[in-house]
Amino acid sequence: MGIGMLDSEESSSSTASAIALAVTASADENSNEATPNLDTIKFCHQTRLHYRNMDNSILDATTDNASNHSFADRNDKESKNNNNNNNIGQRLNMNSNSNSSSSFEIYADDQQRQKTKNSDKFSVTSTQHKKMAANISVKSPSTGKRSPLATVACNGFIRNVQQQQQQQIISQQQRSHSPSMLPSTSRQAALMKQHQQLQKQQEQHLSSMHQSAIIANKNFFLFRNHEMRETNLSGKDNFNTLSDEIILQIFKWLPKKTLLRCGYVSQRFNRCASDESLWSRLDLGGRSLKPGALENILKRGVVILRLAQAEINHPIFDVSFIENESDFEAKLQYLDLSMVTITKLSLKMLLSRCRQLKKLSLEHVVLNDDICNEIAKNEDLEAINLAMCSGIEAWSVRKMLESLKQLSSLNISWTNLSVDAVTSLVTNITPNILRLNMAGCRKTMFDSHLESLHKRCPELLELDLSDCTGLTGNAINIICKFKALEYLSLSRCYSIPAAAYVELRNMSTLIYLDIFGMLTESTLAMLEQTFTKIGINKFIHSSVARPTVGTRRTSIWGLRTRDFHA
């Protein structure tokens, strides 16, 4: 039955609706309307309701504006309807004292009257009833139907009473079937067993409903597994039918972190994820490696490894690895250790396992004779960057250059080489050298050293002698003897006069000339007009044997160190 739509037979409940609204409705703070109880159900007018101890003042004050009939007049109509309809019987008892507070009780029928005798008593003063009834009468529509708010409030009131009655009936039934009230022990045990079976059946029913609700959703992961089990009755793992080559083709697109996680799935995944083809290149620049971590990296067969500005904690190899795998040799060929934080002992242990290095960078790393001796054992070394390294002595220079016959690029700038070290360099360097950077040899390199270098390496392409303040104007004449020189840097060689640079115009192979800090702007402009085919002061920093140039940090010596997705 909809709210506010009552038939003529329901007129007998109008008094109860208004009374219940007067009790349950509360004034809203933001409006003048009465807010009914929201937990209401549809009004069941077939239920027998009995009211007691009502205040007459409530009936006088609560009227319907649409019909202008008081509830007292409707009470007469209700009495007539009670005589015609035996299924709907209601009784209303009122107290003549209008000043006293009203309390009333609602019962479903005569049989439950004794059970609910002491429950649901409400006390409301007559003044509050008048105020709330007035609010209802103002907001009710101007039609002949009763106010819908009254119906909603009365429904909520009856619903609360019915819920309490149902709870009392359930509690009484449980007490009536309680084992302690049974006359026989055997009968008690049978009922207890029957009760337990009923509980199990209910639990199974609820669990089956819950599972069916989950399985009904086809987007759920477990349901898809269930379908796969139904279609694959043999239980065969179709993934094992894939070859290792296909799995490797899938794994090669995964990042290195994901490959490490895949190794924990199964033994086969661990074997495939550790394949050397997936670990040929690795970039750990700026990372902090725990002790023993570098051991696992070298075991995976890494060929290109970038560890620039990384922190490698000691020891890099476990004791068991050193004892059990003394013949282990890493497959590293391109190793960038520029500005790495590592101890001398750890660096020696690392280089002792490297015998296939082709290009090595140890820029700004502390060295000693033992480390240089390990470097010298890489006979196939083509480029080595030792810029700003410390601890390089004359013996170390001679030992390395005597062994490294395939060396084509050497950067040994700003290493505080002594005169003996410079002499060892120019007398033992391989004739195959093409690019040489000896910048920073202040007062330790002279014109005689440059003459020896020309005799030893006449095919030089790039030569950087910046900040070699011991060179004089005669050095220009010696440099002009290099028939293949393309790049020359004489920045801040203050002992060379400016007029001596004019003779470099006779070098047909020279392409770039860097002389920063040597000439004034006017003199430099005149020199540029003279050297029309030579670019002057085009490169601030030297790139000889350096693994990275500029802002490119994803490759070393032109070889990519990161994956495509990294």
Side-chain angles (χ1 to χ4, degrees), residues 485-505:
L485 195 63
E486 297 178 356
Y487 173 82
L488 175 63
S489 178
L490 295 172
S491 301
R492 293 172 297 277
C493 293
Y494 299 115
S495 299
I496 299 176
Y501 292 109
V502 179
E503 300 196 9
L504 294 176
R505 62 184 178 181

Side-chain angles (χ1 to χ4, degrees), residues 457-472:
C457 308
E459 302 296 330
L460 272 176
L461 298 177
E462 296 183 18
L463 180 60
D464 192 342
L465 299 174
S466 301
D467 295 279
C468 292
T469 56
L471 298 177
T472 61

Side-chain angles (χ1 to χ4, degrees), residues 228-239:
M228 292 174 63
R229 287 195 298 269
E230 290 181 353
T231 56
N232 188 14
L233 299 177
S234 61
K236 183 180 179 181
D237 188 2
N238 295 322
F239 194 84

Side-chain angles (χ1 to χ4, degrees), residues 56 110 174 189 243 326 366 370 420 432 476 481:
N56 294 330
D110 295 336
Q174 292 177 354
S243 61
S326 57
V366 180
D370 295 334
D420 295 337
N432 297 324
I476 300 296
K481 297 179 182 180

Side-chain angles (χ1 to χ4, degrees), residues 170-432:
I170 293 171
S171 62
Q172 288 181 2
Q173 290 177 356
Q174 292 177 354
R175 286 196 300 270
S176 64
H177 293 287
S178 177
S180 61
M181 302 297 293
L182 295 176
S184 174
T185 306
S186 60
R187 179 65 175 172
Q188 178 180 355
L191 290 176
M192 289 180 63
K193 185 176 181 180
Q194 183 180 3
H195 183 66
Q196 292 176 358
Q197 291 178 357
L198 290 174
Q199 287 183 349
K200 290 181 180 179
Q201 291 178 0
Q202 291 178 358
E203 292 177 357
Q204 292 176 0
H205 180 66
L206 291 174
S207 62
S208 64
M209 290 178 62
H210 182 65
Q211 291 178 359
S212 64
I214 293 177
I215 294 174
N217 187 2
K218 293 184 178 181
N219 295 326
F220 195 64
F221 182 74
L222 294 179
F223 183 68
R224 291 200 297 269
N225 284 347
H226 182 69
E227 288 182 347
M228 292 174 63
R229 287 195 298 269
E230 290 181 353
T231 56
N232 188 14
L233 299 177
S234 61
K236 183 180 179 181
D237 188 2
N238 295 322
F239 194 84
N240 288 330
T241 59
L242 296 177
S243 61
D244 291 347
E245 288 76 11
I246 296 177
I247 296 177
L248 289 177
Q249 289 296 322
I250 298 173
F251 280 2
K252 76 176 184 178
W253 299 100
L254 301 179
K256 295 298 186 293
K257 291 182 179 180
T258 308
L259 283 178
L260 293 175
R261 296 188 182 100
C262 290
Y264 293 101
V265 175
S266 62
Q267 293 182 356
R268 187 188 183 196
F269 270 38
N270 189 6
R271 184 180 68 255
C272 294
S274 302
D275 192 81
E276 293 180 358
S277 62
L278 303 176
W279 297 90
S280 61
R281 62 187 79 244
L282 187 62
D283 188 355
L284 296 175
R287 306 293 182 85
S288 178
L289 277 66
K290 297 181 180 180
L294 197 58
E295 171 188 337
N296 298 326
I297 294 173
L298 297 180
K299 285 182 178 179
R300 296 181 182 271
V302 180
V303 178
I304 304 172
L305 180 59
R306 180 175 181 267
L307 291 170
Q309 300 180 3
E311 181 182 358
I312 304 176
N313 295 302
H314 182 80
I316 59 174
F317 298 136
D318 294 335
V319 179
S320 59
F321 174 78
I322 297 174
E323 295 177 354
N324 300 330
E325 301 185 22
S326 57
D327 298 333
F328 174 79
E329 185 175 314
K331 296 184 179 182
L332 281 174
Q333 296 182 10
Y334 303 90
L335 179 59
D336 182 10
L337 295 173
S338 302
M339 294 174 283
V340 69
T341 303
I342 189 174
T343 61
K344 295 179 181 179
L345 182 58
S346 296
L347 183 57
K348 179 186 176 182
M349 293 173 62
L350 174 60
L351 295 176
S352 64
R353 302 287 178 169
C354 301
R355 293 292 180 266
Q356 303 178 18
L357 290 176
K358 292 183 178 181
K359 294 185 179 181
L360 174 65
S361 177
L362 293 169
E363 185 172 339
H364 209 288
V365 179
V366 180
L367 307 178
N368 55 20
D369 292 342
D370 295 334
I371 296 174
C372 293
N373 189 26
E374 297 296 338
I375 295 173
K377 294 180 181 180
N378 293 272
E379 297 179 356
D380 295 333
L381 200 62
E382 298 175 359
I384 181 171
N385 179 24
L386 301 176
M388 294 180 287
C389 288
S390 59
I392 300 177
E393 303 295 337
W395 181 88
S396 301
V397 174
R398 182 175 62 82
K399 181 67 177 177
M400 288 189 295
L401 295 180
E402 285 179 352
S403 301
L404 303 178
K405 300 298 182 179
Q406 303 296 326
L407 196 64
S408 60
S409 298
L410 173 62
N411 190 339
I412 197 170
S413 60
W414 299 100
T415 53
N416 295 324
L417 294 177
S418 61
V419 177
D420 295 337
V422 173
T423 303
S424 298
L425 190 150
V426 297
T427 55
N428 294 291
I429 193 170
T430 176
N432 297 324

